[in-house]
Amino acid sequence: MSNKHATLTIEDKSYKLPIIHGTEGDKAVDIRSLRKESGYITLDSGYMNTGSCQSDITFLDGEQGILNYRGYAIEQLAENCSFIEVAYLVLIGELPTRTQLNDFREQLSRFALIHEDMIHFFDHFPPNASPMSILSTMVNTLNNFYPEMTGDTDEELLVVAARLLSKIRTIAAFSYKKSVGHPLIYPRYDLSYCGNFLNMMFDKPVKPYVVHPEVVATLNKLLILHADHEQNCSTSTVRLVGSAGVNLYTSISAGVSALWGPLHGGANTAVIEMLEGIQRDNNDFQKYIDKAKDPNDRFRLSGFGHRVYKTFDPRATIIKQACSKTLEALQVEDPLLNIAMELEKIVRNDDYFVSRNLYPNVDFYSGIIYRAMGIPTNMFTVMFAMGRLPGWISHWNEMMQDSGDRRIGRPRQVYQGAKKRDFVPLHERE
Ligand code: CMC
């Protein structure tokens, strides 16, 4: 903490508030003592301007479109790493050595099965159950089958993270297999993290799946791009729920639920539904643009805009490049890609969107890649959840290990309801 301070004057009194500087230039006014000293709270619905913690994990500059995990630029990580390497980095703070990476991979393979009793749970969801609700339920249930984590040492953190990363991947693939009524395909020791997921999704007793290296590389990239994004809605949920002292699995389950929303991770599904709608309407882009601009219509162009980015989302730039490359490699022609590119062009030349800094976000092109890989639309947000897991675990752990600043998350409010009044007995109420 620096010894500089801000001065806030309320009516005729001034209050000195400490200023905090981050390592990459973030600046904050620490208002924790304000209410005690002045009686005032700060009001910031939607947390437009509120920092909830200090964190060492991810740096994001929304004005310049910068995203770094543990100091490393997302562009370099997406180009050079596997998802597991990045997961290790996000969790531990350093890139793994070859031995550390091999050990982590070994743990992931070791924990890949889920308890056979959990498999019966899948039988009791209706066939059209959302994979996100299945995921959230099953992750919460993990707590009944596996030990809680204290995260006191890096070794323990890695064991629990490997268990979660590995089992969530298995749960995700099983939920898909159940939804299509196919037999479950168990994880294999000889396959990589992403290769294993694809095999569990697409291998069939009647038609073995051949793992395509291009698909594995793209999946690694997509998961890396989702691995963390500082205090977004689901990560803040994980921290808030965890701050009550609840176990990691339940906190993550709450994060999965938050991610499901169409304004958050659910946007990747909503994008495809929107593009399909445009296609059904014979490419009537104007209809969708007009709806999005109409202040009386709640419709928004899914995949555009971001709370923090006021320029290109760096993840979207990487995904857009990967999108064309993957479709070409898989020899897939998807008319939705052309519709998406045309929509982006229209948006970027329309003053409504330009003046509000609405650029494509991470969800705009990701769904088109997932489709090319054969992943069904209702699984897109599950893919996002698999990717975001290292971030959720790391934030939960960071909060739990913060001995100096660990408090239950509990915002205040400004009450605007009825003033105190006398109780009216039932027989006197008309
Ligand atoms: N389409 C049309 N108008 C929009 C959009 C959009 N996608 N996004 C924002 N606006 C308008 C909004 O109506 C408002 O206009 P006005 O100033 O006239 O009232 C202005 O832009 C500012 O929007 P906001 O709602 O105050 O911005 P926010 O920071 O609260 O919301 C957002 C951010 C991502 C929820 C929003 O941009 C949105 O709903 N986007 C579509 C959903 C989406 O793609 N979500 C994925 C986000 S990235 C991945 C993730 O977080 O999971």
Side-chain angles (χ1 to χ4, degrees):
M1 196 187 290
S2 77
N3 53 10
K4 290 192 182 148
H5 62 265
T7 307
L8 175 67
T9 306
I10 305 175
E11 294 167 358
D12 55 353
K13 267 192 94 175
S14 291
Y15 303 90
K16 267 188 173 182
L17 300 166
I19 286 185
I20 294 172
H21 288 276
T23 50
E24 289 278 14
D26 286 338
K27 303 186 276 273
V29 178
D30 183 344
I31 49 94
R32 278 175 291 185
S33 63
L34 183 63
R35 184 174 178 279
K36 203 165 157 202
E37 290 177 20
S38 70
Y40 282 83
I41 63 162
T42 53
L43 181 62
D44 183 21
S45 49
Y47 310 120
M48 302 282 287
N49 197 47
T50 293
S52 60
C53 61
Q54 300 187 58
S55 176
D56 294 350
I57 303 168
T58 288
F59 173 68
L60 205 173
D61 181 329
E63 273 69 38
Q64 302 202 53
I66 295 172
L67 173 62
N68 302 338
Y69 299 157
R70 303 285 193 182
Y72 294 102
I74 189 69
E75 291 79 5
Q76 290 187 346
L77 295 172
E79 187 58 36
N80 298 300
C81 293
S82 68
F83 171 60
I84 287 315
E85 219 174 329
V86 171
Y88 186 102
L89 169 71
V90 168
L91 288 160
I92 300 298
E94 297 297 335
L95 286 164
T97 62
R98 192 171 294 279
T99 311
Q100 287 166 334
L101 185 59
N102 286 342
D103 289 349
F104 193 40
R105 286 202 170 115
E106 175 68 27
Q107 281 175 333
L108 284 158
S109 297
R110 191 149 54 86
F111 292 131
L113 285 173
I114 56 170
H115 197 291
E116 282 290 306
D117 288 350
M118 283 185 77
I119 291 172
H120 303 306
F121 296 179
F122 287 102
D123 295 334
H124 303 287
F125 288 101
N128 57 354
S130 161
M132 280 303 272
S133 85
I134 297 178
L135 187 67
S136 162
T137 308
M138 297 298 268
V139 172
N140 201 359
T141 302
L142 286 173
N143 178 51
N144 298 310
F145 289 86
Y146 300 100
E148 248 191 65
M149 156 171 138
T150 61
D152 287 342
T153 61
D154 281 357
E155 286 70 31
E156 196 198 351
L157 173 62
L158 285 171
V159 167
V160 177
R163 185 180 284 133
L164 257 168
L165 282 160
S166 203
K167 293 192 191 306
I168 284 186
R169 173 192 56 179
T170 305
I171 291 169
F174 281 11
S175 71
Y176 168 66
K177 284 292 191 194
K178 277 284 172 190
S179 74
V180 288
H182 290 174
L184 303 181
I185 302 294
Y186 280 76
R188 275 177 28 195
Y189 226 85
D190 59 318
L191 292 177
S192 69
Y193 184 84
C194 289
N196 229 326
F197 172 73
L198 292 164
N199 191 63
M200 282 192 275
M201 285 283 290
F202 300 123
D203 189 56
K204 298 186 190 104
V206 290
K207 188 166 183 260
Y209 177 71
V210 180
V211 179
H212 193 308
E214 187 73 36
V215 179
V216 172
T218 306
L219 183 55
N220 266 296
K221 194 171 285 208
L222 284 167
L223 296 182
I224 290 170
L225 295 175
H226 288 90
D228 191 40
H229 214 235
E230 49 118 299
Q231 307 311 318
N232 56 85
C233 179
S234 54
T235 304
S236 299
T237 301
V238 170
R239 277 187 176 256
L240 190 61
V241 171
S243 78
V246 77
N247 67 80
L248 173 68
Y249 306 102
T250 300
S251 306
I252 301 270
S253 160
V256 172
S257 300
L259 187 74
W260 195 359
L263 297 187
H264 192 12
N268 55 15
T269 309
V271 167
I272 295 298
E273 286 161 0
M274 177 183 74
L275 298 175
E276 285 173 340
I278 297 176
Q279 188 183 36
R280 266 196 311 278
D281 288 334
N282 300 317
N283 291 3
D284 184 357
F285 290 96
Q286 200 54 45
K287 175 176 159 190
Y288 291 81
I289 298 281
D290 291 344
K291 265 171 83 65
K293 290 182 185 176
D294 182 352
N296 300 315
D297 193 327
R298 290 183 74 83
F299 175 79
R300 288 186 164 190
L301 287 186
S302 293
F304 286 91
H306 197 275
R307 167 62 59 79
V308 184
Y309 292 120
K310 299 304 161 204
T311 180
F312 285 94
D313 177 338
R315 303 167 299 173
T317 310
I318 301 170
I319 290 185
K320 189 177 172 185
Q321 283 162 5
C323 190
S324 312
K325 231 177 105 193
T326 308
L327 265 61
E328 209 180 295
L330 297 178
Q331 296 179 329
V332 170
E333 276 194 28
D334 189 343
L336 293 194
L337 177 59
N338 292 335
I339 295 177
M341 291 201 296
E342 184 60 27
L343 182 63
E344 183 190 341
K345 209 159 95 193
I346 295 171
V347 165
R348 288 184 50 200
N349 286 299
D350 185 313
D351 191 51
Y352 172 94
F353 298 97
V354 173
S355 63
R356 287 169 177 75
N357 298 314
L358 300 172
Y359 293 85
N361 58 45
V362 69
D363 292 315
F364 191 59
Y365 285 102
S366 60
I368 297 175
I369 308 190
Y370 289 139
R371 265 162 70 96
M373 290 174 170
I375 291 169
T377 313
N378 68 353
M379 284 290 288
F380 290 179
T381 313
V382 171
M383 306 302 295
F384 194 150
M386 275 170 54
R388 185 52 52 88
L389 202 50
W392 287 336
I393 300 170
S394 196
H395 279 276
W396 187 91
N397 189 52
E398 188 178 66
M399 180 188 67
M400 291 302 190
Q401 298 306 316
D402 189 347
S403 50
D405 202 14
R406 195 188 140 191
R407 290 187 176 85
I408 188 165
R410 202 313 187 174
R412 288 189 178 259
Q413 62 163 22
V414 178
Y415 175 70
Q416 302 284 17
K419 286 184 74 96
K420 186 168 185 307
R421 48 189 166 162
D422 274 339
F423 175 76
V424 183
L426 185 57
H427 64 272
E428 286 178 21
R429 286 177 232 157
E430 273 307 315

